[in-house]
Amino acid sequence: MSVDGSNCKKKVKKRGIVSVNLSSTRYDVVKRVAEALNYSTTVENNDSFIIWSDCMITAERCAELKPYQRINHFPGMGEIARKDCLARNLQKMQKCYSDDYDFFPKTWNLPADYTVLMNYYHDLKKKKKIKTFICKPANGAMGNGIHLLQSLDKITMHDHVVIQEYLDRPLIVDGMKFDLRIYVLVLSCDPLKIFLYDDGLVRLSTTEYAAPTEKNIDNMFMHLTNYSINKTSENYEDCDEEDKGSKRSIKYLKTW
């Protein structure tokens, strides 16, 4: 029996154009990337395959998503995105897994840890020891409101801040403090699926580092590495080369 080959060919389903809803983002770079990938962009279509939002989402918003839709947040991200929540969760993990969670300095979450902090501070004063602390607003961003202090006498039990021992012997590059911006893509929490980008940013301060003293403790260009702060410094270097300037690449750092 002969078979008509033309009838046996599988029908190839055409891939539809991926649509991205950008109604909840103000960043033009998201639109440019979507267009570079030949995705269609919209601010009205709630049935879009991808929904990009600048803000955290609620569990209810996530439950409303259709099975094929993806959004760039997980519910509850505030538990690691806010400084006070992150500090509280790190402390909880440290109690359970002390050997694995010994990578961050002594931390106090105020007002809850006010009494513990002041007891620690008064013990230091009795021993005539001076330590530097860094104080951060509980829900701050971009370096706003961060400052260093060696006296906690003006801290009150009503302050909503995170206070940590300041690491006064940091790694430095070309005499400057630096931090790392490492980029990861979390596809799933259960099971946990994380992709780590093979590069990132090295953000440098703009004043050569020295241990905190009364004279330099207020110099945020020396002690903080936030771009939003250092970009206003007269020493800030904007450079396209990855091994120069106030922003460099992690690939450069690996060869440094």
Side-chain angles (χ1 to χ4, degrees), residues 12-245:
V12 178
K13 189 175 182 179
K14 292 184 178 179
R15 288 187 63 183
I17 297 176
V18 175
S19 58
V20 185
N21 188 315
L22 302 179
S23 62
S24 297
T25 181
R26 66 182 185 275
Y27 297 109
D28 187 60
V29 65
V30 180
K31 181 179 180 181
R32 295 202 307 268
V33 170
E35 291 175 345
L37 294 170
N38 293 321
Y39 294 170
S40 68
T41 60
T42 179
V43 294
E44 297 178 351
N45 185 6
N46 291 326
D47 294 325
S48 296
F49 182 78
I50 297 173
I51 301 170
W52 195 277
S53 174
D54 295 342
C55 303
M56 291 179 285
I57 62 168
T58 63
E60 291 75 18
R61 177 68 182 93
C62 191
E64 292 172 355
L65 296 176
K66 298 177 176 62
Y68 62 86
Q69 290 183 306
R70 299 293 182 269
I71 195 166
N72 63 313
H73 289 283
F74 290 99
M77 283 184 64
E79 289 297 314
I80 58 173
R82 281 182 57 117
K83 290 182 173 64
D84 54 348
C85 295
L86 176 61
R88 184 182 66 247
N89 286 315
L90 283 173
Q91 289 170 323
K92 287 181 179 179
M93 296 300 289
Q94 192 175 58
K95 288 180 180 179
C96 296
Y97 308 102
S98 56
D99 291 340
D100 296 321
Y101 283 81
D102 61 350
F103 54 83
F104 62 98
K106 284 186 174 68
T107 302
W108 297 270
N109 211 345
L110 272 59
D113 296 334
Y114 175 78
T115 301
V116 178
L117 170 63
M118 297 313 293
N119 287 339
Y120 179 75
Y121 173 59
H122 290 143
D123 284 342
L124 290 175
K125 292 180 72 174
K126 288 179 181 178
K127 297 174 183 177
K128 296 183 179 181
K129 290 185 177 180
I130 297 176
K131 281 189 177 289
T132 304
F133 300 88
I134 184 166
C135 180
K136 308 173 184 179
N139 194 26
M142 299 187 295
N144 293 324
I146 297 178
H147 58 282
L148 272 59
L149 59 169
Q150 291 179 332
S151 170
L152 302 182
D153 293 336
K154 293 184 179 181
I155 296 295
T156 74
M157 63 186 304
H158 304 293
D159 292 327
H160 289 267
V161 294
V162 174
I163 294 181
Q164 294 178 298
E165 282 193 351
Y166 182 68
L167 301 179
D168 57 8
R169 298 181 62 189
L171 294 175
I172 58 176
V173 169
D174 292 344
M176 309 292 183
K177 273 189 67 174
F178 68 94
D179 69 14
L180 302 180
R181 275 291 184 263
I182 299 172
Y183 298 96
V184 298
L185 172 64
V186 182
L187 287 184
S188 170
C189 291
D190 187 15
L192 185 62
K193 293 182 180 179
I194 299 177
F195 290 84
L196 175 64
Y197 186 53
D198 62 0
D199 202 356
L201 288 178
V202 179
R203 307 188 310 174
L204 281 73
S205 62
T206 47
T207 298
E208 189 167 322
Y209 180 77
T213 64
E214 289 185 5
K215 291 183 178 180
N216 71 29
I217 198 169
D218 294 324
N219 189 338
M220 295 299 98
F221 297 141
M222 174 186 293
H223 295 294
L224 299 186
T225 53
N226 305 70
Y227 165 72
S228 57
I229 290 176
N230 282 283
K231 70 179 181 180
T232 64
S233 168
E234 61 181 13
N235 298 324
Y236 182 80
E237 296 181 40
D238 192 1
C239 184
D240 291 334
E241 298 179 50
E242 65 178 23
D243 59 345
K244 297 177 182 178

